């Protein structure tokens, strides 16, 4: 069987099909984003969507404070344990 050059009316090389499969695998397997080797987040809007998927609203002052604390603790861990 040959590979089709179009799927649902789009060329197979259309950017819509360029999906980060490692991210999909982590989602399906129920793993955390921390398990990924990298994230393809290219815009601020995409980053906000990622935060929202984890239940954070960057416009909410309490959520911003919590995110800042997570970042501070992560930086401290890297400095004190990993370096």
């Amino acid at each position: 069987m040959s590979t089709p050059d179009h799927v649902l009316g789009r060329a197979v090389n259309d950017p819509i099909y360029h999906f980060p499969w490692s991210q999909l695998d982590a989602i399906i397997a129920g793993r955390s984003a921390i398990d990924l080797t990298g994230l393809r987040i290219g815009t601020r809007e995409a980053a906000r969507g990622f935060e929202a998927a984890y239940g954070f609203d960057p416009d909410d002052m309490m959520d911003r404070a919590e995110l800042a604390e997570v970042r501070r603790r992560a930086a401290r861990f890297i400095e004190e344990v990993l370096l």
Side-chain angles (χ1 to χ4, degrees):
M1 180 178 212
S2 65
T3 304
D5 62 345
H6 285 77
V7 178
L8 300 175
R10 292 183 180 267
V12 293
N13 62 352
D14 188 306
I16 195 171
Y17 296 116
H18 294 197
F19 190 82
W21 295 108
S22 63
Q23 290 179 31
L24 179 61
D25 179 55
I27 293 166
I28 291 171
R31 295 192 311 257
S32 168
I34 197 75
D35 296 323
L36 298 172
T37 57
L39 292 173
R40 285 182 26 184
I41 298 178
T43 65
R44 182 174 294 274
E45 182 177 298
R48 289 169 89 62
F50 181 81
E51 290 174 327
Y54 276 86
F56 291 101
D57 177 2
D59 294 324
D60 180 271
M61 291 182 77
M62 296 296 287
D63 284 356
R64 277 203 323 254
E66 186 175 351
L67 289 168
E69 176 63 14
V70 168
R71 181 178 180 179
R72 186 193 65 72
R73 288 177 33 212
R76 190 165 134 204
F77 175 81
I78 290 169
E79 290 171 352
E80 294 178 0
V81 176
L82 300 180
L83 296 180

